[in-house]
C-alpha cells in the first residue's frame, strides 16, 4: 500500500518539479520513487496487506510479483525516453507524471478484490495511455494512434461494464471471491447457469480480449503500436499486458473457474485465431514496430493458453512469460529509437553489428528470446506455459509449437538484417549512458533470468 | 425510493433489462457504423448510461446499495473519459482539419 502512495506521489512531484525546466531532475525523482516503490513491494512479501475498510485492494504475493515486474518495466520505459526529454524538455514532467499515474492503475488492477477497484484501476491505467500515445503532438500518426486507442478503449470499457452489470445481476455481489463462491455453491442448480451470468462472463471476456489485443479484437494494436512514441509502445506492450493479463487470470481464476466448461471453448478458438493471425500478418512486415505489434498478438495467443489451463502453476508461468517478453520488447523499442529512423523500417537495422556491436548483441538476444530459443528467458516462459497446458489441450499446444517455428522466420529476418553489410556507410550510433545501463540489465535478465527463475517456486 | 415505488406498482424487472439492452445495442451499432468521432463518443456515453440503468435496476432487485455507488463511479469516470477524448479530438482536428475517422489512414499495413 505504501508503494502505491509512493508511486502516485513521485508522479505528482514530477509534475511540479517540471517547472524548474530541468528534465534530469524529473527523471531522478521518478527513478528514485520507483526504486523505493519496488523496495517496498519486496518488503511486503509474505505479508499480505489490505487497503480500504472494505478491503478493495489486497497485496497478496501474486499481486506483488506482478506489481514488481510492472514497476520495473515502467522504470525502464521512463529511462529509455532520455533522448526525447533532451530534445523536447518542455513536456517531460507531464510525460513522466502520466506514466507514473498509469502505473498506479496497473497496480490497482493487479491487487483488486472486487469489480470496483478493478474498473477504477483499468481506467486509471488506460486514460493516461490514451494521452501518451499522442505525445508527438505535431505528428499526425501519433494523434491518429491516440484517437484510435481511445475509441477502442472506451468501447471496451462499455462492454466490460455491461458484463460486470449482468454478472452483478446474476450473483448480487461485486467481490470476485463471493462471485466464485456463489457459482461454486449453486453449480448443480440452474442459478449458476443462467443466461444472465453467461452473458456477463462472455462480455467481460470480450473486453479483456480487447485490452490484451487478441484476435478478432486486435485490429487497433498494430496501428497504435506504430503511431505511438517508442517508449510508450514499450510501456503498452510490457506494463499494460502485465496488468490486463494479471486481472484476466484473477477474475477467471477466482470468480469463474467453475464455469470453465462454458468459457474455455470460446477462448480456445480465440487463442488459435490469435496465434495464426499474428504470425501470418507478421511475415510480410517491413516496419519494425508493426512487426513487434503482430508478434505481440501471437505472444498474447500463447499467453492465453495459461489462462485456459488455470492450474496451480499457471499464474507463475504466465508471470515468467510476460516478464521475459517485457524485457525483450523494451530493449527492442529502445534500440529502434536509437537508430533514429522515422520510417521505422526493419532495414534500418542493416549493418548494426558493425555500427554498434553492443546494440547489435542486445537486439539479437532480445529477438532470439522472443523467438523462444533456449536458454533465454523467452524459451522458459514458453516452455512452462506450453508444458502446463499440454495435459489439457495437447492439440492446441502442438499447433502453438508449429507456430513458434513460423515465428522464428521473421525474428531471424531481422537478425540477418543486423549482420548484413549496409550499402551506404553510416556513422556510429551514440548511446547515452542511461541506455547502456538499461539495455545491459535487459540483456542480463534475458540471458540468465529464465535459468534462475525456473529454479525457484515463487508462489 | 422512487424506483422502489415503481417496482411495487407492477413494472417488472424485465422491462429494465430490455430497455437497457436496447440502449446498449444502439450505442454499439452507433460506434460500429458512424464515421464522425464526436458521434462515436456520444454512442460510447450511451453505452455507459445503459449500464448505469441496468446497475440501478439490479441494485433495486437485490435490495443492495453497492451497485448504485458503482453508478457514481461510472459517471465520474465517464466524465473524465469524455474530457480526455474531446482533447484528443481537438488535437486530431488541429493536425488533420477533420474528425471523420474514415480519413484516418496514415497507419496501415
Amino acid at each position: 500500500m505504501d508503494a502505491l502512495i509512493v508511486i502516485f506521489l513521485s508522479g505528482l512531484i514530477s509534475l511540479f518539479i517540471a517547472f524548474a525546466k530541468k528534465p534530469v531532475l524529473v527523471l531522478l525523482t521518478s527513478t528514485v520513487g520507483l526504486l523505493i516503490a519496488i523496495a517496498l513491494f519486496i518488503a511486503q512479501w509474505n505479508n499480505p496487506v489490505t487497503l480500504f475498510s472494505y478491503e478493495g485492494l489486497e497485496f497478496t504475493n501474486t499481486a506483488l510479483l506482478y506489481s514488481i515486474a510492472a514497476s520495473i518495466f515502467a522504470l525502464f520505459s521512463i529511462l529509455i525516453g532520455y533522448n526525447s526529454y533532451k530534445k523536447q524538455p518542455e513536456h517531460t514532467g507531464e510525460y513522466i507524471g502520466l506514466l507514473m499515474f498509469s502505473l498506479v492503475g496497473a497496480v490497482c488492477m493487479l491487487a483488486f478484490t472486487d469489480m470496483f477497484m478493478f474498473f477504477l484501476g483499468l481506467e486509471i491505467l488506460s486514460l493516461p495511455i490514451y494521452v501518451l500515445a499522442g505525445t508527438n503532438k505535431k505528428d499526425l500518426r501519433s494523434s491518429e494512434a491516440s484517437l484510435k486507442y481511445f475509441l477502442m478503449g472506451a468501447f471496451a470499457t462499455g462492454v466490460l461494464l455491461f458484463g460486470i452489470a449482468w454478472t452483478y445481476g446474476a450473483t448480487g455481489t461485486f467481490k470476485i471471491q463471493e462471485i466464485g463462491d456463489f457459482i461454486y455453491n449453486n453449480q448443480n442448480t440452474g442459478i449458476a447457469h443462467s443466461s444472465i451470468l453467461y452473458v456477463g462472463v462472455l462480455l467481460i471476456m470480450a473486453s479483456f480480449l480487447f485490452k490484451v489485443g487478441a484476435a478478432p479484437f486486435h485490429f487497433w494494436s498494430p496501428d497504435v503500436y506504430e503511431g505511438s512514441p517508442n517508449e510508450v509502445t514499450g510501456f503498452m506492450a510490457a506494463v499494460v499486458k502485465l496488468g490486463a493479463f494479471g486481472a484476466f487470470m484473477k477474475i477467471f481464476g477466482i470468480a469463474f473457474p467453475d464455469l470453465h466448461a462454458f468459457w474455455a471453448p470460446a477462448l480456445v478458438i480465440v487463442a488459435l485465431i490469435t496465434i495464426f493471425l499474428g504470425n501470418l500478418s507478421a511475415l510480410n512486415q517491413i516496419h519494425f514496430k508493426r512487426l513487434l505489434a503482430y508478434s505481440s498478438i501471437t505472444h498474447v495467443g500463447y499467453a492465453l493458453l495459461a489462462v485456459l489451463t488455470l492450474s496451480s502453476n499457471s499464474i507463475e508461468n504466465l508471470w515468467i512469460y510476460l516478464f521475459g517478453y517485457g524485457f525483450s520488447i523494451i530493449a527492442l523499442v529502445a534500440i529502434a529509437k536509437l537508430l533514429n529512423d522515422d520510417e521505422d523500417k526493419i532495414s534500418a537495422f542493416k549493418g548494426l553489428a558493425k555500427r554498434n556491436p553492443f546494440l547489435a548483441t542486445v537486439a539479437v538476444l532480445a529477438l532470439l528470446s522472443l523467438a523462444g530459443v533456449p536458454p533465454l528467458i523467452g524459451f522458459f516462459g514458453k516452455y512452462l506455459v506450453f508444458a502446463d497446458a499440454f495435459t489439457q489441450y495437447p492439440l492446441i499446444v502442438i499447433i502453438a509449437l508449429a507456430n513458434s517455428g513460423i515465428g522464428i522466420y521473421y525474428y531471424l529476418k531481422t537478425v540477418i538484417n543486423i549482420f548484413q553489410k549496409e550499402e551506404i556507410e553510416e556513422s556510429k550510433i551514440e548511446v547515452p549512458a542511461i541506455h547502456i545501463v538499461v539495455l545491459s540489465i535487459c540483456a542480463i535478465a534475458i540471458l540468465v533470468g529464465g535459468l534462475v527463475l525456473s529454479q525457484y517456486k515463487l508462489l | 425510493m422512487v424506483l422502489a415505488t415503481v417496482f411495487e406498482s407492477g413494472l417488472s424487472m424485465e422491462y429494465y433489462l430490455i430497455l437497457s439492452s436496447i440502449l446498449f445495442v444502439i450505442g454499439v451499432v452507433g460506434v460500429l457504423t458512424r464515421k464522425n468521432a464526436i458521434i462515436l463518443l456520444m454512442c460510447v456515453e450511451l453505452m455507459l448510461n445503459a449500464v448505469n440503468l441496468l446497475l440501478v435496476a439490479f441494485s433495486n432487485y437485490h435490495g443492495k446499495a453497492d451497485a448504485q455507488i458503482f453508478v457514481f463511479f461510472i459517471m465520474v469516470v465517464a466524465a473524465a473519459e469524455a474530457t480526455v477524448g474531446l482533447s484528443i479530438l481537438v488535437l486530431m482536428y488541429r493536425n488533420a482539419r477533420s474528425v471523420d475517422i474514415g480519413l484516418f489512414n496514415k497507419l496501415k499495413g
Side-chain angles (χ1 to χ4, degrees):
Chain A
M1 145 182 197
D2 304 333
L4 200 59
I5 296 171
V6 167
I7 298 172
F8 173 71
L9 279 183
S10 51
L12 204 62
I13 295 170
S14 306
L15 279 180
F16 283 103
I17 286 188
F19 286 121
K21 304 235 187 305
K22 289 208 178 70
V24 181
L25 220 56
V26 185
L27 200 64
L28 205 67
T29 318
S30 53
T31 309
V32 171
L34 278 174
L35 287 176
I36 294 174
I38 293 170
L40 285 171
F41 278 135
I42 294 171
Q44 277 177 21
W45 191 257
N46 275 337
N47 183 19
V49 186
T50 50
L51 188 56
F52 300 133
S53 54
Y54 74 104
E55 298 176 350
L57 291 178
E58 187 183 24
F59 286 94
T60 57
N61 279 359
T62 315
L64 287 174
L65 200 59
Y66 276 78
S67 303
I68 290 168
S71 310
I72 292 172
F73 293 144
L75 177 61
F76 284 4
S77 316
I78 288 172
L79 291 178
I80 61 173
Y82 181 66
N83 277 359
S84 351
Y85 311 146
K86 278 209 316 202
K87 235 180 267 171
Q88 296 176 306
E90 65 267 32
H91 294 305
T92 312
E94 292 93 319
Y95 178 81
I96 291 180
L98 283 174
L99 272 181
M100 306 286 271
F101 296 150
S102 182
L103 179 64
V104 171
V107 174
C108 287
M109 244 178 113
L110 294 166
F112 69 96
T113 62
D114 64 0
M115 297 293 191
F116 278 103
M117 286 318 288
F118 164 58
F119 165 64
L120 287 181
L122 181 70
E123 285 303 301
I124 299 170
L125 172 78
S126 304
L127 285 178
I129 297 181
Y130 300 149
V131 181
L132 285 170
T135 310
N136 293 343
K137 282 200 290 186
K138 296 277 155 59
D139 186 358
L140 184 56
R141 291 188 308 167
S142 186
S143 321
E144 188 180 328
S146 173
L147 188 61
K148 269 185 183 162
Y149 195 30
F150 168 75
L151 287 173
M152 285 304 107
F155 184 67
T157 305
V159 174
L160 172 80
L161 284 171
F162 206 52
I164 290 177
W166 286 109
T167 315
Y168 174 80
T171 59
T173 175
F174 285 121
K175 292 227 166 244
I176 51 169
Q177 186 63 55
E178 286 173 17
I179 295 174
D181 293 344
F182 178 89
I183 295 170
Y184 179 76
N185 293 332
N186 296 303
Q187 58 183 334
N188 296 323
T189 63
I191 306 169
H193 301 281
S194 62
S195 46
I196 290 184
L197 185 57
Y198 279 5
V199 169
V201 173
L202 278 187
L203 286 171
I204 291 177
M205 191 165 90
S207 77
F208 268 120
L209 296 176
F210 248 117
K211 282 285 165 200
V212 298
F217 311 109
H218 67 285
F219 46 86
W220 58 270
S221 81
D223 294 351
V224 174
Y225 276 39
E226 191 192 350
S228 309
N230 279 24
E231 308 88 76
V232 182
T233 308
F235 189 85
M236 282 195 288
V239 179
V240 178
K241 286 230 160 65
L242 261 173
F245 265 112
F248 200 169
M249 201 73 180
K250 198 164 187 172
I251 288 189
F252 280 77
I254 296 176
F256 305 134
D258 295 305
L259 297 177
H260 189 266
F262 166 67
W263 53 262
L267 205 55
V268 165
I269 296 168
V270 168
L272 281 181
I273 300 175
T274 309
I275 292 170
F276 269 109
L277 213 137
N279 254 339
L280 296 180
S281 316
L283 286 179
N284 295 323
Q285 287 307 319
I286 48 167
H287 296 287
F288 185 63
K289 274 204 287 179
R290 264 194 121 67
L291 175 84
L292 284 185
Y294 281 114
S295 95
S296 97
I297 292 173
T298 312
H299 281 277
V300 165
Y302 299 147
L304 283 177
L305 289 181
V307 182
L308 267 175
T309 318
L310 276 194
S311 75
S312 51
N313 295 325
S314 293
I315 290 189
E316 191 183 331
N317 295 342
L318 183 63
W319 181 77
I320 293 178
Y321 190 91
L322 294 173
F323 198 52
Y325 176 73
F327 278 118
S328 312
I329 202 116
I330 285 189
L332 285 174
V333 290
I335 293 166
K337 178 109 186 177
L338 286 174
L339 293 178
N340 221 352
D341 174 40
D342 284 338
E343 292 276 293
D344 197 38
K345 293 259 170 61
I346 295 176
S347 50
F349 279 82
K350 269 191 185 158
L352 187 63
K354 261 255 173 68
R355 287 160 69 194
N356 193 320
F358 171 70
L359 288 185
T361 319
V362 180
V364 169
L365 274 176
L367 284 165
L368 291 182
S369 169
L370 284 181
V373 174
L376 305 175
I377 190 166
F379 165 76
F380 280 95
K382 229 177 230 175
Y383 168 75
L384 289 168
V385 170
F386 285 3
D388 202 24
F390 190 73
T391 46
Q392 285 185 52
Y393 300 100
L395 190 64
I396 297 162
V397 171
I398 291 169
I399 295 174
L401 278 174
N403 267 283
S404 292
I406 303 177
I408 290 174
Y409 165 75
Y410 53 82
Y411 294 123
L412 284 188
K413 206 169 74 177
T414 317
V415 173
I416 289 169
N417 260 311
I418 290 174
F419 288 109
Q420 247 172 11
K421 270 195 190 150
E422 52 179 339
E423 296 89 48
I424 319 146
E425 202 57 41
E426 265 192 65
S427 56
K428 289 206 163 139
I429 305 163
E430 290 279 320
V431 187
I434 290 184
H435 280 73
I436 292 181
V437 174
V438 170
L439 290 175
S440 309
I441 296 173
C442 284
I444 293 166
I446 291 168
L447 258 181
V448 298
L451 287 168
V452 174
L453 286 172
S454 57
Q455 299 300 313
Y456 300 101
K457 186 140 179 54
L458 295 160
L459 294 171
Chain B
M1 285 311 287
V2 178
L3 262 178
T5 47
V6 173
F7 270 113
E8 277 159 25
S9 66
L11 198 54
S12 74
M13 189 67 197
E14 288 119 54
Y15 292 99
Y16 290 96
L17 304 192
I18 292 166
L19 175 62
S20 62
S21 301
I22 291 172
L23 282 176
F24 188 81
V25 170
I26 293 173
V28 170
V29 171
V31 171
L32 296 180
T33 56
R34 300 304 289 262
K35 291 281 173 229
N36 189 320
I38 293 178
I39 294 182
L40 255 65
L41 206 62
M42 284 160 61
C43 292
V44 169
E45 296 291 315
L46 189 63
M47 287 163 67
L48 294 181
N49 282 323
V51 173
N52 287 349
L53 178 65
L54 191 62
L55 276 173
V56 172
F58 274 134
S59 173
N60 199 287
Y61 174 74
H62 287 297
K64 288 181 181 172
D66 49 356
Q68 295 180 29
I69 300 167
F70 203 129
V71 168
F72 283 110
F73 279 95
I74 293 175
M75 276 150 68
V76 171
V77 168
E81 216 168 53
T83 318
V84 170
L86 285 174
S87 38
I88 291 173
L89 275 180
V90 171
L91 177 69
M92 192 72 215
Y93 185 78
R94 277 188 189 152
N95 281 330
R97 291 283 143 200
S98 164
V99 288
D100 188 321
I101 54 165
L103 294 173
F104 300 168
N105 49 13
K106 284 279 171 294
L107 300 166
K108 64 168 113 161

